[in-house]
Amino acid sequence: MKVEERLRRIISLHGAAHLTLIDPEKQPPEKAGIMAADAAAAGTDGIMVGGSTHAGGGLLDDTVLAIKKTTDLPVILFPANEAGISAHADAIFFMSMLNSRDVYYLAGAQRLGAPIVKKLGLEPIPMAYLVVEPGGAVGRVGKAELIPREDKELAAAYALAAQYLGMRLVYLEAGSGADRPVPVEMVRAVREATDVILIVGGGIRTPKAAAERVRAGADIIVTGTLVEQSKDRRARIGEIVRKIKMVR
Ligand code: 1GP
């Protein structure tokens, strides 16, 4: 089964899905494999691999392979640019940062990456990437015109544009390690405006924060920092996964 289809089934069966983000630059591949196994035991539905700096090449390949060795979960690339592609993954979020000021992040990296994705036979999952304040490293690297936290209409307009452009997923990103996740009201506004699969990530650390965003209409919750920093990551991820699957 294709990865997108698998995610859609999880969302329709359980009301929401959870993905764990692992940045290859932050630990050796073997450790990434252990983190992924813990996340899998906690019930996460897939592993995203990528980071906002240029994580690519051998380290990316070795990280994906280490994760494939320790889990049966789908591995989805979450690339910063065309360097973030690995033959060993199952799928790629083929994304455009719609609120970037730099044409490279809108269509340049995509133009460079598309032939590689085709050649490798990776499943491309078309996604709009929208960076919301505070935005963090990804906002800076991607030269994002950050969506102000109070401007839910702007987020909804971008998301609707993404849907009309044929993108099936929209990712509302507050930035990895953000002190505040994407506002609940913004999630609700995007949900009301669109029928896309709505992903929310950045700064989500508690079951409450995750559940509030699912209640407002998020289909997929992403956590990254939690798997990197928690000593008790299995328990922390487990409580988030259980909570979001009880909301709908
Ligand atoms: C970053 O949204 C993801 O792209 C995850 O953010 O590291 O804050 O969980 P955190």
Side-chain angles (χ1 to χ4, degrees):
M1 192 193 306
K2 296 248 186 184
V3 174
E4 182 180 339
E5 179 59 24
R6 181 173 165 148
L7 290 174
R8 285 183 186 277
R9 283 197 191 188
I10 293 166
I11 294 161
S12 85
L13 272 175
H14 301 288
H18 177 269
L19 295 176
T20 296
L21 173 64
I22 295 182
D23 183 345
E25 288 202 324
K26 299 214 173 137
Q27 65 286 301
E30 197 178 313
K31 170 103 188 281
I34 295 168
M35 284 158 50
D38 282 341
T44 197
D45 297 299
I47 308 290
M48 287 162 57
V49 179
S52 47
T53 42
H54 294 182
L59 184 58
L60 174 64
D61 284 335
D62 291 348
T63 300
V64 173
L65 286 169
I67 294 168
K68 297 293 285 180
K69 208 160 142 187
T70 57
T71 81
D72 294 326
L73 290 174
V75 175
I76 308 167
L77 298 168
F78 181 55
N81 59 15
E82 73 280 7
I85 303 174
S86 168
H88 307 291
D90 300 296
I92 179 167
F93 281 143
F94 202 85
M95 51 209 261
S96 174
M97 189 190 285
L98 292 189
N99 62 325
S100 175
R101 289 187 301 270
D102 188 339
V103 70
Y104 173 73
Y105 291 103
L106 280 161
Q110 296 77 354
R111 185 258 304 173
L112 293 165
I116 307 171
V117 170
K118 181 163 188 179
K119 192 169 166 207
L120 297 177
L122 287 167
E123 176 190 342
I125 304 177
M127 180 167 94
Y129 193 45
L130 300 175
V131 187
V132 178
E133 287 176 337
V138 74
R140 286 192 298 280
V141 173
K143 302 192 184 74
E145 191 95 61
L146 296 175
I147 299 176
R149 292 178 62 78
E150 64 283 1
D151 202 345
K152 56 184 202 277
E153 293 78 13
L154 180 60
Y158 267 123
L160 188 58
Q163 179 174 318
Y164 288 168
L165 283 164
M167 294 164 171
R168 297 190 289 270
L169 282 75
V170 168
Y171 191 136
L172 290 177
E173 168 75 271
S176 184
D179 56 355
R180 295 152 294 166
V182 172
V184 170
E185 283 310 314
M186 188 178 281
V187 175
R188 187 170 293 118
V190 170
R191 174 75 296 150
E192 284 169 3
T194 68
D195 307 313
V196 294
I197 293 184
L198 179 53
I199 309 188
V200 179
I204 297 174
R205 295 180 191 83
T206 63
K208 182 169 180 280
E212 283 170 353
R213 281 150 187 85
V214 169
R215 206 167 291 122
D219 299 301
I220 299 177
I221 296 291
V222 178
T223 62
T225 303
L226 210 58
V227 77
E228 284 165 15
Q229 293 181 358
S230 307
K231 285 199 194 77
D232 54 348
R233 57 178 167 251
R234 205 184 278 207
R236 296 284 305 278
I237 294 171
E239 62 189 13
I240 288 183
V241 171
R242 278 193 299 280
K243 186 87 182 185
I244 64 172
K245 298 201 178 190
M246 281 165 26
V247 171
R248 292 187 194 152

